[in-house]
């Protein structure tokens, strides 16, 4: 059984099993499917507005549909091996979004501790270890 996040000492780039990541930030939402350290599909949605209560209903629908479309595009041999969707960014604190995603995708939806800082933590790690950037590649679409 897979573990998320990877065990200490191993960065996400070495994660052999496929995984899905959704970053819900202020103004833009990005979803990626990663396999063997390479992004093999991605989607993004520009949001017009967010509120202190979270995503507006139309934006919530758009995020769920965009993510579901990404999952539908996964190859048949990959889909069963994806353990969960991991949500980062400030939007990962919106329980309504997490519930909608779990219901629509029919898979577990996880968040990281302090999800609003997950992206900057990853970029900081790459800044301290530039060789990590060479292990990231864009394949597929």
């Amino acid at each position: 059984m897979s573990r998320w996040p990877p065990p200490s000492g191993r960065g996400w780039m070495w994660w052999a099993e496929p995984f899905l990541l959704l970053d819900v930030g202020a103004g833009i939402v990005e979803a990626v499917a990663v396999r063997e350290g390479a992004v093999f599909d991605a989607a993004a949605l520009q949001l017009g507005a967010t509120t202190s209560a979270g995503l507006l209903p139309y934006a919530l629908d758009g995020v769920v549909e965009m993510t579901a479309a990404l999952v539908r595009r996964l190859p048949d041999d990959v889909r069963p091996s994806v353990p969960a969707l991991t949500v980062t960014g400030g939007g990962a604190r919106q329980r309504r979004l997490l519930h909608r995603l779990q219901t629509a995708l029919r898979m577990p939806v996880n968040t990281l501790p302090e999800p609003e800082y997950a992206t900057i933590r990853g970029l900081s790690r790459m800044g301290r270890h530039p060789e990590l950037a060479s292990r990231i590649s864009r394949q597929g679409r």
Side-chain angles (χ1 to χ4, degrees), residues 17-42:
E17 294 181 25
F19 67 90
L20 298 173
L21 182 67
L22 178 69
D23 183 36
V24 184
I28 190 165
V29 178
E30 299 145 320
V32 295
V34 177
R35 178 172 53 181
E36 297 174 1
V39 173
F40 69 93
D41 200 354

Side-chain angles (χ1 to χ4, degrees), residues 24-27 47-57 90-96:
V24 184
L47 301 177
T50 58
T51 68
S52 59
L55 296 173
L56 297 170
R93 296 198 180 274
Q94 297 176 37
R95 296 206 185 283
R96 182 176 55 164

Side-chain angles (χ1 to χ4, degrees), residues 19-21 30-35 38-44 66-75 137-141:
F19 67 90
L20 298 173
L21 182 67
E30 299 145 320
V32 295
V34 177
R35 178 172 53 181
V39 173
F40 69 93
D41 200 354
M66 176 191 73
T67 308
L70 181 72
V71 171
R72 286 191 300 271
R73 290 194 306 265
L74 292 174
S137 65
R138 172 89 165 111
Q139 298 176 348
R141 298 179 188 257

Side-chain angles (χ1 to χ4, degrees), residues 12 117-130 132:
W12 63 270
Y117 302 117
T119 300
I120 196 65
R121 284 193 306 261
L123 290 171
S124 174
R125 179 175 285 171
M126 287 177 61
R128 291 190 310 271
H129 304 284
L132 294 177

